[in-house]
């Protein structure tokens, strides 16, 4: 079991790494899946590289920091989102699913993303996005 102090340190490290290095690079990659939320304070679109999998008209993903992730806080404020999959944008509605077994869900998602979420995750949370198109 990880202590709250350890989780706080891991969260800060992960946040700094993604904000300053990984996200600026990966958001420019054509094959990277992007989640676009609306900033809960600014109202400005916010794009975040994510991993996950489209199954039919649903996109599944797991947040590694649960409700401490900025994009999860944005979803709570406004669940209408867009997801870029294979360089195509899809409108959708996001649903936070704390009752879902996020660890088991990760086993159904692409391995590389799942490994990163497991390695850096502090509070796993499943997110289901019902796609409109």
């Amino acid at each position: 079991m990880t202590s709250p102090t350890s989780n706080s340190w891991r969260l800060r490290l992960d946040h700094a790494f993604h904000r300053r290095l990984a996200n600026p690079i990966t958001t420019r990659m054509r094959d990277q899946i992007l989640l676009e939320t609306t900033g809960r304070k600014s109202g400005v679109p916010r794009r975040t590289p994510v991993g996950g999998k489209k199954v039919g008209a649903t996109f599944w993903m797991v947040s590694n920091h649960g409700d401490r992730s900025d994009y999860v806080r944005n979803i709570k404020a406004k669940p209408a989102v867009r997801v870029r999959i294979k360089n195509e944008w899809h409108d959708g509605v996001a649903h936070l699913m704390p009752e879902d077994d996020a660890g088991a869900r990760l086993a159904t998602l692409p391995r590389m993303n799942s490994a990163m979420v497991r390695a850096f995750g502090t509070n796993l949370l499943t997110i289901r996005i019902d796609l409109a198109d």
Side-chain angles (χ1 to χ4, degrees):
M1 185 74 157
T2 309
S3 73
T5 304
S6 176
N7 281 345
S8 178
W9 179 83
R10 286 175 31 183
L11 177 64
R12 286 193 314 270
L13 177 64
D14 186 61
H15 184 77
F17 169 75
H18 282 95
R19 180 156 295 189
R20 292 188 175 89
L21 182 64
N23 289 4
I25 294 168
T26 56
T27 53
R28 291 181 176 93
M29 297 170 67
R30 292 178 58 96
D31 292 338
Q32 174 65 51
I33 298 171
L34 295 179
L35 172 66
E36 184 178 88
T37 59
T38 301
R40 63 193 175 281
K41 295 177 186 175
S42 68
V44 173
R46 302 290 185 192
R47 292 183 176 172
T48 305
V50 297
K53 183 177 181 181
K54 183 179 177 195
V55 179
T58 304
F59 182 79
W60 292 95
M61 61 180 283
V62 174
S63 168
N64 54 345
H65 300 301
D67 60 3
R68 296 183 73 188
S69 294
D70 286 331
Y71 67 85
V72 171
R73 291 175 179 168
N74 291 343
I75 287 170
K76 281 183 173 181
K78 185 175 181 185
V81 299
R82 292 191 330 144
V83 183
R84 187 183 79 181
I85 306 166
K86 295 184 180 177
N87 212 30
E88 236 180 86
W89 285 100
H90 304 270
D91 294 325
V93 178
H95 304 276
L96 306 179
M97 304 188 64
E99 70 283 355
D100 191 65
D101 182 344
R105 180 71 57 192
L106 275 176
T108 69
L109 301 178
R111 286 186 183 159
M112 181 55 130
N113 175 255
S114 296
M116 297 301 288
V117 170
R118 285 183 197 280
F120 295 108
T122 58
N123 183 28
L124 304 182
L125 174 65
T126 299
I127 301 171
R128 183 188 85 228
I129 301 174
D130 297 329
L131 303 172
D133 45 1

